[in-house]
Amino acid sequence: MIAILGAGSLGRLWAAKLPSGQVAFVPRPEQSAAPLRYRFRPVNGPELPVQIPWLTNTESPSLLIVTTKAGDTLAALQPLMPRLPETTPVVLFQNGLGSQQRVAQIWPNHPILAATTTEGANRPETELTVHAGQGETWVGALTPAGEARLRKTASTLAESGLSVNATPDIFDRLWQKLVINAGINPFTAILNCPNGEILAHPFYQQWIDPLCREISKLLTASGQSPRSATALREAIETVACNTATNTSSMRADRLAGRKTEIDFINGYLARLGAELGIDTAVNRMLTDQVEQLN
């Protein structure tokens, strides 16, 4: 049994794509016993009804996929980990950085892995999950036990039919996504617009170059693959153009009145800068402005 902790868009995507009968959602304390029912619209094909049961207290999952918001991850895992077999891999699908390292620090003997994906999923209606775009998923180990189970875990995830790749350096992939999120998400939340519209806005034009200079310095100082500020801006704007009509997760959180993940994106970069002695005034400013929207 594969357990999924977090029944949002991404969790429902994986539940719908993994083999039928092999998936269960981890229930919240107040959850009813009735299975979770929703409709799933694949990239190509007709809309399908999906029914996923809730994991019972007597079931021992062979894999745990965690798709909660970054800020909710620790609290969601705390009551679950004591009853989880120490051999069960835990795959973290959180945005940004910070939450993954914390989980690995708290449970170092467990097979903890992190994943990043470009699969697109959204919920235009409460009971409808849409696979909005096909992408790539990368998974890598955060603990020694995770390294031993990396290939098997990637193989299990690939049973979904989605493109899944094992990598020996997941932090490189996580940083690549962090750069994109840091350069798009806060601007879309502050300006309240789709991804592509930020590019022509004066606020974005004013701050994107100094933001990229900060991130470039952080990459080098933290031992990641060095990238120039110019290259970072080009990568950010390529994604913004390719997803021009999309609503970022941060803007979606703002519109829904939910707490955003800014603390694990630009907030993480600001804290890292403080640790490394690098000025991160732009990351701090963007973090402060988004937090004021919450």
Side-chain angles (χ1 to χ4, degrees):
M1 177 67 70
I2 299 170
I4 300 178
L5 179 59
S9 299
L10 189 60
R12 293 186 186 207
L13 169 65
W14 282 99
K17 296 292 290 183
L18 284 163
S20 177
Q22 297 185 22
V23 184
F25 280 115
V26 177
R28 298 185 298 272
E30 72 281 7
Q31 193 66 56
S32 69
L36 177 63
R37 295 181 174 87
Y38 59 96
R39 306 184 329 273
F40 176 69
R41 185 183 300 160
V43 173
N44 296 304
E47 196 171 283
L48 305 168
V50 178
Q51 178 175 300
I52 306 295
W54 300 101
L55 189 73
T56 67
N57 289 332
T58 60
E59 289 179 304
S60 179
S62 59
L63 174 66
L64 176 64
I65 297 172
V66 185
T67 58
T68 55
K69 291 285 188 179
D72 299 330
T73 301
L74 279 180
L77 281 172
Q78 289 283 2
L80 184 61
M81 292 298 286
R83 68 181 182 92
L84 198 69
E86 202 168 74
T87 56
T88 298
V90 178
V91 185
L92 307 170
F93 272 88
Q94 281 60 55
N95 278 331
L97 278 170
S99 64
Q100 302 95 329
Q101 298 98 311
R102 186 66 179 137
V103 171
Q105 289 168 357
I106 293 175
W107 293 287
N109 296 323
H110 282 259
I112 307 296
L113 304 99
T116 180
T117 187
T118 56
E119 297 289 345
N122 58 61
R123 292 169 64 191
E125 303 171 20
T126 304
E127 304 303 326
L128 173 63
T129 298
V130 175
H131 189 187
Q134 293 176 321
E136 296 276 336
T137 297
W138 296 84
V139 59
L142 299 180
T143 62
E147 292 178 5
R149 290 167 176 80
L150 173 56
R151 296 292 172 183
K152 174 61 177 175
T153 299
S155 177
T156 300
L157 292 174
E159 292 177 12
S160 63
L162 301 175
S163 178
V164 180
N165 310 276
T167 175
D169 185 8
I170 190 61
F171 280 105
D172 181 63
R173 294 285 172 178
L174 292 172
W175 264 96
Q176 288 181 39
K177 187 169 185 179
L178 177 64
V179 167
I180 303 301
N181 285 342
I184 293 178
N185 290 18
F187 292 104
T188 64
I190 293 165
L191 300 173
N192 191 22
C193 67
N195 293 358
E197 290 185 16
I198 65 173
L199 300 176
H201 200 284
F203 180 75
Y204 173 86
Q205 293 290 340
Q206 177 182 0
W207 294 113
I208 186 59
D209 281 336
L211 174 67
C212 288
R213 287 194 290 270
E214 289 182 7
I215 298 174
S216 179
K217 292 176 183 176
L218 290 171
L219 282 166
T220 301
S222 59
Q224 301 302 313
S225 300
R227 298 178 70 186
S228 70
T230 300
L232 294 175
R233 178 169 180 172
E234 288 176 355
I236 289 166
E237 296 188 346
T238 296
V239 174
C241 288
N242 291 341
T243 61
T245 61
N246 290 10
T247 287
S248 74
S249 59
M250 195 172 292
R251 182 189 181 216
D253 286 340
R254 175 195 169 179
L255 294 174
R258 297 186 294 259
K259 183 176 175 61
T260 73
E261 294 179 297
I262 190 68
D263 195 45
F264 298 90
I265 300 176
N266 301 84
Y268 173 82
L269 293 171
R271 291 192 300 277
L272 182 62
E275 294 172 9
L276 297 173
I278 295 171
D279 181 42
T280 52
V282 180
N283 279 288
R284 292 198 309 274
M285 178 272 293
L286 292 172
T287 301
D288 290 344
Q289 289 211 23
V290 172
E291 285 182 338
Q292 290 170 16
L293 300 172
N294 289 336

